[in-house]
Amino acid sequence: MRIAEFLSPQAVIADMQSRTKPEVLRELSATLVRAHPLLQEDRLVEVLREREKLGSTGIGEGVAIPHGKLPGMTQLQAAFGVSRAGVDFEAIDGKATHLFFALVAPENSAGVHLKALARISRLFKNPRFRASILEAPTTADIHALIIQEDARP
């Protein structure tokens, strides 16, 4: 599985405006809906909020992977956003979060969902890659960097 299969260029935000955790979830959900009009924004926000209640998806080093499962979806979808200012996302390391990778999977897709989470987590462990994303000026540049890094063996 490659990230290109579930992250479209239209679902990337180069400069998020959100300043709080709920705003981040709303902005990522709105972006997913713009890229995939059959999705419902309020339902997406609720699914992501419910998962956050179990514990923050802020994995540290400036990265968060909010995720959830949504009935009626046929395939995994994602949105990615960069917050230049950083947001308090209650990350495990207590640091501000700048890189947000939201995943929404079909309700009965544990394997795909977990593989995608593991792949994204592995990708964003690389400090040089995180820095290059933060320096990328446009959504097209950000998307290309993610796809290029994910294609490496």
Side-chain angles (χ1 to χ4, degrees), residues 32-33 38-48 67-75 77 103-109 113:
L32 263 168
V33 170
L38 296 177
L39 298 175
Q40 295 179 334
E41 185 177 334
D42 289 339
R43 187 68 188 113
L44 283 171
V45 171
E46 186 58 31
V47 163
L48 296 176
H67 58 278
K69 294 182 180 181
L70 193 61
M73 287 192 70
T74 56
Q75 66 185 51
Q77 300 294 344
L103 283 176
V104 184
E107 193 171 30
N108 300 318
S109 64
H113 187 228

Side-chain angles (χ1 to χ4, degrees), residues 6-17:
F6 55 85
L7 178 67
S8 72
Q10 298 82 14
V12 176
I13 311 164
D15 191 12
M16 295 181 76
Q17 300 305 302

Side-chain angles (χ1 to χ4, degrees), residues 80-108:
F80 181 79
V82 177
S83 170
R84 309 286 174 190
V87 175
D88 178 0
F89 209 75
E90 302 165 355
I92 59 171
D93 62 2
K95 296 178 183 176
T97 303
H98 296 273
L99 306 173
F100 297 91
F101 214 120
L103 283 176
V104 184
E107 193 171 30
N108 300 318

Side-chain angles (χ1 to χ4, degrees), residues 7-19 27-28 31 34 79-86 97-100 130-146:
L7 178 67
S8 72
Q10 298 82 14
V12 176
I13 311 164
D15 191 12
M16 295 181 76
Q17 300 305 302
S18 301
R19 297 292 177 245
E27 190 171 356
L28 290 167
T31 300
R34 277 194 299 281
F80 181 79
V82 177
S83 170
R84 309 286 174 190
T97 303
H98 296 273
L99 306 173
F100 297 91
R130 291 193 311 267
S132 70
I133 293 289
L134 286 168
E135 293 167 8
T138 68
T139 57
D141 293 332
I142 292 167
H143 186 264
L145 282 168
I146 292 170

